[in-house]
Amino acid sequence: MPLIQRKKGAEADKAASDKAASSEEKIVQDGSEDEDRKKKESPAGKKKKKERGGEKGKWSCLDNCCWFVGCVCTVWWLLLFLYNAMPSSFPQYVTEVITGPLPDPPGVKLKKEGLTAKHPVVFVPGIVTGGLELWEGHECAEGLFRKRLWGGTFGEAYKRPLCWVEHMSLDNETGLDPPGIRLRPVTGLVAADYFMPGYFVWAVLIANLARIGYEEKTMYMAAYDWRLSFQNTEVRDQTLSRMKSHIEMMVATNGGKKAVVIPHSMGVLYFLHFMKWVEAPAPMGGGGGPDWCSKHIKAIMNIGGPFLGVPKAVSGLFSAEAKDIAVARAIAPGFLGNDIFRVQTLQRVMKMSRTWDSTMSMIPKGGETIWGGLDWSPEEGYLPSKRRQIMNDSQVSSESGTNSSSSRARVNYGRIISFGKDAAESPSSEIEMIDFRDAVKGRNLANTTCRDVWTEYHDMGIEGIRAVAEHRVYTAETVLDLLQFVAPKMMARGSAHFSYGIADDLDDPKYEHYKYWSNPLETKLPSASDIEIFSMYGVGIPTERAYVYKMSPSAECFIPFQIDTSFEGEYEDSCLKDGVYTVEGDETVPVLSAGFMCAKGWRGKTRFNPSGIRTYVREYDHAPPANLLEGRGTQSGSHVDVMGNFALIEDIIRVAAGATGEDLGGDQVYSDIFKWSEKINLAL
């Protein structure tokens, strides 16, 4: 019995050990399977397991970025919803709580005074502010018939940028439409009332004119394709003929009351060209006869007119830059300068804008006589400071910004382009300038080695590029040679349509050619002594006047020159900032260009104004908006925002309702335009 029991016990122990071994084997097997599963498991799966188990996964940079973008978008859409949901009067209510009661808009104010619509009004928009729509395009522009490619939301520029650039460009040989592409100006008041949703151009002025009784039949937007040279707008679209016939119709249907013409920016030069064209005999001109302007125009109220050009045009054509772009390029050189997503921003902008012949109309005119030379300029000694208003054209400000300290470095504004700060500041006798005109050009390998967008710089070669930099300094005269050297195709087209000199003898028959008509220094005003010409512009904003350049690090592959933003003035109120020298102006047009012709060149009877047309200078001192709810403000002096300046609008409405320049008080001046004009030795 004990033997049997022992045997059974042994068998039980063996079974137990076998069971334990089997269990152990199963555990090991399960463990190895778990290990295999863990190895095969994706990172996302592991993360989910950790989260299920209560463990927190580590956040990556991408997670943080996604959350940040999501939060910004959510807050933005919430604010946008609240803004659209609030009553339209709420922003005005808040503004009045903060700043006190707002003044009546000019239209409301003048209606209370009893003013009503009298003279028909013609608006002449400037460069880039008029809408352009597609009438014919390539396959990539399918579905865009009569959609705006310029102006509006600019949606297509984001959706298909290369297609957009292709359609916005003109033919590099003719300056007209490329084969298979037709962009045409939008017509009517909507052509330039808003540049894009919420960004007004002419809308505020139109609305205020409507307050005293104006409507579309007494207002006309003389829209044109601002990319074309002025004469080519007539060749291709008959725009000048349309303006002529429309003005004639408006005068005839308004009881013979003459038109008040209001050009803005480049539109000032365009209308100057029109006045010569309309009186010139056909086929070059409109055949209206020598008294057409006298019969049809009461006043020309030029807003922000670049009569003598703008230095900004030089930097734009030379390196596709202005001050803001140069700063952005310095902050993010990879975005603007390099091949990001195969869209090389600045190169494509340069290639496109150099086909727009109109940009060459704003190259500085008058050479060193107007803009100064290596060692002098009319604005010499200028420093920003408080100014007092002058209401009489015979007075000159005694509190102007000219009290410069002798310890300060002299600013040579006549040197529009300088390579290096030493070239900008040193006496001209110490600057070694190597002539670039005879430099040997040679094609570089940029097209194949850098996948670059072709520009005319590729035909210069590195030796030609170095020769440009070694010349060191360029004035208003030599900058024409510079542009001729770096962009010969562009300048060949431009020289057929524009001129930049000063006429010795205005009776010379050569000045009957249309290339001289938009240069006030090479043409006469019409024989119409009863017309009044106003120069109206903002002041009090630093405006680009001269630039310090350097060669780009990647000169062989991209645009070889750029503004050197590392240079700053030594003093807090210095005119040098981010490699750009600034003077008095409206942020785009210097006072010298906007005001000289009405302050001196056309003042009284001169060879440029033989009939003695009365001229007035009306400046509007810049005051930024008091708070964000004021938008762009009602006292702005900046180049476009001045179109919403209540004082300027009031002046325009008064003249349109029958007032004269004397009724407005004559000149209204804050700057030193009269003093600077006297420094210019121009035979009148």
Side-chain angles (χ1 to χ4, degrees):
M1 189 74 180
L3 182 63
I4 293 169
Q5 286 177 347
R6 279 199 302 274
K7 191 174 180 179
K8 285 181 180 178
E11 288 175 356
D13 290 341
K14 187 180 179 183
S17 66
D18 289 345
K19 189 176 180 182
S22 174
S23 299
E24 193 175 322
E25 188 179 338
K26 190 175 181 182
I27 289 168
V28 170
Q29 189 176 354
D30 289 347
S32 65
E33 285 176 5
D34 285 347
E35 235 175 78
D36 290 342
R37 275 198 301 273
K38 283 178 184 177
K39 284 179 184 176
K40 292 178 183 177
E41 198 170 27
S42 66
K46 287 179 182 178
K47 187 176 178 182
K48 283 180 183 175
K49 267 193 170 181
K50 282 183 179 181
E51 286 174 354
R52 282 196 215 104
E55 295 181 24
K56 291 184 180 178
K58 290 183 179 179
W59 276 59
S60 68
C61 180
L62 182 62
D63 295 325
N64 290 326
C65 289
C66 290
W67 271 99
F68 177 73
V69 171
C71 289
V72 169
C73 290
T74 303
V75 171
W76 170 256
W77 284 110
L78 179 62
L79 292 174
L80 190 64
F81 171 77
L82 292 173
Y83 178 79
N84 287 313
M86 75 171 71
S88 58
S89 59
F90 184 74
Q92 182 178 343
Y93 170 76
V94 174
T95 302
E96 289 183 357
V97 168
I98 297 171
T99 63
L102 293 177
D104 284 335
V108 174
K109 173 186 173 183
L110 298 179
K111 185 179 181 181
K112 290 177 181 177
E113 292 182 15
L115 270 65
T116 58
K118 184 175 182 181
H119 294 275
V121 172
V122 178
F123 308 116
V124 186
I127 193 168
V128 310
T129 54
L132 299 173
E133 59 187 19
L134 184 70
W135 282 80
E136 181 185 3
H138 292 164
E139 188 177 345
C140 66
E142 188 69 32
L144 297 181
F145 177 67
R146 294 207 64 199
K147 296 287 180 63
R148 288 197 185 197
L149 290 193
W150 187 270
T153 61
F154 284 92
E156 300 309 319
Y158 311 127
K159 294 176 186 174
R160 25 189 158 182
L162 298 185
C163 182
W164 180 82
V165 168
E166 179 186 10
H167 285 73
M168 281 298 302
S169 300
L170 294 168
D171 188 277
N172 201 34
E173 301 291 337
T174 65
L176 295 168
D177 294 325
I181 294 176
R182 282 186 295 146
L183 255 69
R184 296 296 179 262
V186 177
T187 58
L189 296 178
V190 296
D193 55 352
Y194 287 92
F195 179 58
M196 59 179 64
Y199 191 89
F200 71 82
V201 183
W202 295 91
V204 177
L205 176 57
I206 291 170
N208 278 279
L209 283 165
R211 296 274 191 177
I212 67 164
Y214 279 91
E215 49 192 276
E216 198 148 10
K217 69 181 181 182
T218 49
M219 293 189 287
Y220 169 57
M221 183 71 71
Y224 59 99
D225 190 336
W226 45 262
R227 301 172 302 161
L228 300 174
S229 69
F230 301 158
Q231 191 70 7
N232 273 345
T233 64
E234 175 64 16
V235 170
R236 196 194 72 179
D237 299 334
Q238 294 76 54
T239 308
L240 299 173
S241 295
R242 294 171 190 271
M243 194 191 307
K244 174 178 179 281
S245 60
H246 213 109
I247 292 175
E248 289 171 346
M249 182 189 68
M250 292 174 79
V251 171
T253 56
N254 281 274
K257 297 182 182 68
K258 300 176 188 179
V260 172
V261 183
I262 311 169
H264 173 242
S265 189
M266 191 185 76
V268 168
L269 302 179
Y270 187 67
F271 193 74
L272 195 62
H273 180 97
F274 170 83
M275 286 196 294
K276 294 300 292 184
W277 173 88
V278 75
E279 295 190 344
M284 188 182 293
D291 59 351
W292 190 93
C293 291
S294 179
K295 288 179 178 178
H296 296 89
I297 299 174
K298 166 188 162 44
I300 306 164
M301 309 193 76
N302 302 290
I303 304 174
F307 287 103
L308 302 177
V310 288
K312 211 175 201 178
V314 175
S315 64
L317 294 171
F318 185 54
S319 62
E321 289 180 296
K323 182 180 177 181
D324 295 340
I325 294 175
V327 172
R329 188 179 183 183
I331 294 171
F335 180 73
L336 289 176
N338 293 334
D339 190 357
I340 300 296
F341 305 120
R342 297 185 182 271
V343 179
Q344 294 147 292
T345 313
L346 283 181
Q347 291 91 311
R348 294 190 185 278
V349 167
M350 172 175 280
K351 185 178 178 181
M352 175 178 68
S353 62
R354 281 189 176 182
T355 68
W356 298 346
D357 290 352
S358 62
T359 57
M360 288 177 277
S361 71
M362 293 184 290
I363 293 173
K365 304 174 178 70
E368 295 182 6
T369 301
I370 299 294
W371 295 93
L374 293 175
D375 295 313
W376 85 278
S377 65
E379 307 102 322
E380 186 177 335
Y382 164 77
L383 285 175
S385 70
K386 292 182 179 180
R387 301 172 306 279
R388 69 177 176 84
Q389 180 180 353
I390 310 161
M391 295 298 294
N392 187 312
D393 61 0
S394 64
Q395 289 182 289
V396 179
S397 172
S398 60
E399 297 179 18
S400 62
T402 56
N403 300 318
S404 58
S405 169
S406 58
S407 63
R408 291 175 181 257
R410 179 177 176 177
V411 178
N412 300 298
Y413 290 116
R415 305 177 189 183
I416 293 180
I417 287 179
S418 303
F419 279 88
K421 192 178 180 184
D422 58 331
E425 295 181 348
S426 301
S428 60
S429 58
E430 298 177 10
I431 302 173
E432 183 182 358
M433 294 182 285
I434 301 172
D435 195 356
F436 64 92
R437 297 172 185 85
D438 298 324
V440 177
K441 292 185 179 182
R443 186 183 296 273
N444 63 31
L445 301 177
N447 284 333
T448 56
T449 60
C450 301
R451 303 194 309 274
D452 206 1
V453 180
W454 181 89
T455 68
E456 289 186 274
Y457 281 121
H458 296 143
D459 292 337
M460 288 178 57
I462 194 64
E463 292 305 318
I465 290 168
R466 283 179 183 151
V468 167
E470 287 171 356
H471 190 267
R472 306 297 304 281
V473 176
Y474 297 88
T475 65
E477 286 183 8
T478 53
V479 83
L480 295 172
D481 297 324
L482 170 65
L483 293 174
Q484 181 67 49
F485 186 78
V486 302
K489 283 189 177 181
M490 177 190 76
M491 291 301 287
R493 295 193 320 271
S495 61
H497 289 275
F498 303 107
S499 182
Y500 311 101
I502 300 174
D504 293 324
D505 179 10
L506 286 167
D507 294 323
D508 189 324
K510 78 173 187 178
Y511 293 111
E512 295 174 5
H513 192 273
Y514 59 76
K515 68 180 285 184
Y516 302 103
W517 292 348
S518 60
N519 181 358
L521 301 174
E522 293 183 304
T523 191
K524 299 177 185 178
L525 288 176
S527 295
S529 57
D530 51 346
I531 290 179
E532 292 184 320
I533 296 180
F534 296 81
S535 186
M536 314 169 79
Y537 53 89
V539 293
I541 309 178
T543 303
E544 296 171 38
R545 178 65 165 82
Y547 305 89
V548 180
Y549 267 86
K550 67 178 180 179
M551 283 184 64
S552 303
S554 52
E556 290 189 19
C557 292
F558 306 114
I559 297 172
F561 310 110
Q562 66 184 88
I563 296 171
D564 193 343
T565 57
S566 65
F567 287 122
E568 300 279 345
E570 297 178 7
Y571 300 91
E572 187 179 346
D573 61 348
S574 173
C575 297
L576 173 62
K577 188 174 183 182
D578 298 320
V580 179
Y581 288 99
T582 57
V583 291
E584 184 73 88
D586 68 359
E587 204 170 22
T588 297
V589 183
V591 161
L592 191 66
S593 180
F596 172 78
M597 291 309 296
C598 283
K600 182 176 180 180
W602 290 333
R603 185 58 60 108
K605 282 192 177 184
T606 70
R607 64 192 183 105
F608 305 109
N609 180 16
S611 66
I613 292 174
R614 293 183 301 281
T615 63
Y616 301 95
V617 177
R618 302 284 294 177
E619 295 183 345
Y620 302 89
D621 200 15
H622 174 72
N627 56 70
L628 291 175
L629 293 174
E630 278 192 30
R632 289 151 65 193
T634 60
Q635 300 178 66
S636 176
S638 72
H639 188 63
V640 177
D641 293 356
V642 76
M643 304 284 279
N645 185 298
F646 278 10
L648 178 140
I649 292 173
E650 182 174 333
D651 285 348
I652 290 174
I653 294 177
R654 288 188 183 279
V655 172
T660 66
E662 291 301 323
D663 295 332
L664 298 184
D667 296 315
Q668 173 181 280
V669 180
Y670 297 89
S671 74
D672 268 343
I673 182 57
F674 287 106
K675 180 183 289 186
W676 295 339
S677 297
E678 287 306 313
K679 291 182 181 180
I680 295 173
N681 185 20
L682 178 67
L684 299 176

